[in-house]
Amino acid sequence: MKNFINLSDIRKDDLRKIIESAKLEKKQSSKKKKLIGKTLIMIFEKSSTRTRLSFELAIKQLGGEFLALNPKESHYGSGDESIYDTAKVLSQYGDIVMMRAHKHKHFLEFSKHLEIPIINGLTDLSHPCQIMSDVLTFEELKGPITNKKIAWLGDGNNIVYSLIEAAVQFNFQLAIACPKKLEPNKEIINWAKNKKANIIVTKNPKEAAKGADAIMTDKWISMGDHSNKKYKKKLLKDYQVNEKIMKLAKSDAIFMHCLPANRGEEVTNEVMDSKKSVVWLEALNRVHVQKSIIQWCLK
Ligand code: CP
Ligand code: NVA
């Protein structure tokens, strides 16, 4: 059974195949209904606009159907039914699950009891589907991502976790700028370093941005982040992506953000709405990557 949980679990050549098949999906606009009779079950423990809608569109375009389970309106996670029993039932109703979970640990626990594949639609640890869409977007605009320089400015969060994994799997240079206290997950940094990845972590946003092909950021306060917001925003104020920072990157560099964004915090309006910004294409490409990921899991 093929789950899509973290990019480091998946073979490099499989990830490359998923990207190439997403490029084809986009060209064909999915005229071929390859998943007729298949059902995707979606579970959202926290809010979503893009992940929910892009998975709904993806399965519909492939000829399949979806069911959405809202934990607040079901027995799932409420304590009156074990997750083992819920997983058994869902394994009969659907062919594949996509889940957005608060805790990665709980996601893994649930996945162990399922008898059908599961896709990680974001946890507190990682967001692999987003980064696959970002690789597709980058390559669509700039050609192969291998050896290109991607700069990350801001919080060491779940998006950057998957970005670090992608830097290893797709062989690109990654420069992460963040305050010492907000550095990304140490385990994944060490994993990447053991794989001889071309990654630097610095406190200096200018160093990271210099000569980059793309500058990426994300909200300073993620969903479910209960840290002191005022203090965290103060720590991050020098990591805002603004026109000054964009000028340090290559002249044709792009600006990327998974969205939702907090305009005026991690990014200025000028950058979000500039010609360099590719944020809408990133959101659109989610649909094509989801189609490719679902089919890879079901093959
Ligand atoms: N980028 C992303 O996953 O957006 P949503 O939270 O809207 O799904
Ligand atoms: N880091 C953000 C990403 C949202 C898509 C969060 O977890 O809320």
Side-chain angles (χ1 to χ4, degrees):
M1 207 166 68
K2 288 196 273 181
N3 293 326
F4 193 85
I5 301 181
N6 270 327
L7 299 181
S8 52
D9 308 332
I10 301 167
R11 290 161 48 121
K12 276 184 187 201
D13 55 343
D14 277 352
L15 290 174
R16 176 45 67 191
K17 272 185 212 153
I18 292 172
I19 294 292
E20 295 310 314
S21 108
K23 288 178 186 168
L24 280 180
E25 287 294 344
K26 189 165 181 180
K27 263 198 207 138
Q28 296 166 348
S29 335
S30 264
K31 300 259 161 38
K32 293 184 195 142
K33 307 272 184 223
K34 291 173 265 193
L35 294 185
I36 290 173
K38 299 285 184 200
T39 302
L40 165 75
I41 300 180
M42 303 195 291
I43 307 173
F44 286 94
E45 290 184 1
K46 42 189 177 182
S47 315
S48 168
T49 300
R50 283 144 286 266
T51 305
R52 176 189 289 268
L53 296 181
S54 59
F55 268 101
E56 287 184 7
L57 282 169
I59 193 76
K60 275 187 178 176
Q61 289 181 11
L62 291 167
E65 296 181 17
F66 65 86
L67 300 171
L69 182 74
N70 178 350
K72 287 194 194 109
E73 296 165 354
S74 72
H75 299 289
Y76 167 86
S78 67
D80 60 357
E81 183 172 51
S82 72
I83 56 163
Y84 174 84
D85 292 356
T86 306
K88 280 279 177 200
V89 173
L90 295 194
S91 300
Q92 301 178 97
Y93 288 166
D95 299 280
I96 182 161
V97 170
M98 189 283 298
M99 178 166 165
R100 171 166 286 193
H102 286 293
K103 295 265 171 247
H104 194 78
K105 252 191 357 212
H106 295 169
F107 177 98
L108 290 180
E109 190 56 33
F110 185 68
S111 72
K112 272 190 224 142
H113 303 309
L114 271 184
E115 290 158 14
I116 54 178
I118 188 165
I119 298 171
N120 173 2
L122 180 146
T123 66
D124 56 340
L125 187 78
S126 56
H127 196 5
C129 296
Q130 176 66 50
I131 293 301
M132 290 297 277
S133 171
D134 295 347
V135 170
L136 172 66
T137 305
F138 183 94
E139 295 205 335
E140 192 178 321
L141 299 167
K142 303 255 138 227
I145 198 165
T146 305
N147 297 327
K148 295 282 185 347
K149 179 176 178 183
I150 312 295
W152 174 271
L153 268 64
D155 189 22
N157 66 9
N158 47 0
I159 302 286
V160 76
Y161 184 99
S162 295
L163 187 63
I164 293 166
E165 293 178 299
V168 171
Q169 302 291 54
F170 292 97
N171 297 310
F172 58 81
Q173 233 190 98
L174 178 59
I176 300 166
C178 60
K180 194 87 195 126
K181 287 192 172 146
L182 299 175
E183 279 185 2
N185 179 292
K186 293 262 174 318
E187 272 172 41
I188 204 67
I189 295 266
N190 289 338
W191 171 82
K193 289 201 167 145
N194 283 335
K195 298 266 178 194
K196 312 255 176 295
N198 195 346
I199 293 184
I200 61 151
V201 181
T202 170
K203 278 194 297 189
N204 184 348
K206 290 183 186 153
E207 183 190 351
K210 203 169 164 205
D213 296 278
I215 297 191
M216 267 195 196
T217 189
D218 183 19
K219 262 188 193 303
W220 289 342
I221 312 289
S222 286
M223 291 181 277
D225 179 349
H226 300 300
S227 52
N228 181 331
K229 293 185 177 51
K230 224 171 140 186
Y231 176 65
K232 195 168 175 188
K233 286 182 185 179
K234 206 169 136 193
L235 284 180
L236 282 162
K237 73 173 181 5
D238 294 335
Y239 296 82
Q240 182 189 63
V241 181
N242 50 36
E243 282 178 317
K244 256 195 193 155
I245 278 287
M246 286 306 296
K247 280 203 180 107
L248 298 172
K250 284 200 179 131
S251 57
D252 62 348
I254 53 176
F255 168 70
M256 305 184 86
H257 191 312
C258 62
L259 306 181
N262 253 357
R263 288 168 177 258
E265 286 194 353
E266 75 274 8
V267 59
T268 58
N269 278 327
E270 290 72 28
V271 171
M272 267 288 278
D273 299 325
S274 70
K275 287 206 178 104
K276 290 178 185 276
S277 170
V278 301
V279 300
W280 317 122
L281 186 62
E282 285 174 83
L284 173 66
N285 280 341
R286 297 288 305 274
V287 179
H288 304 293
V289 161
Q290 321 300 29
K291 284 189 278 189
S292 188
I293 294 171
I294 296 170
Q295 291 180 84
W296 177 79
C297 289
L298 289 176
K299 237 177 220 159

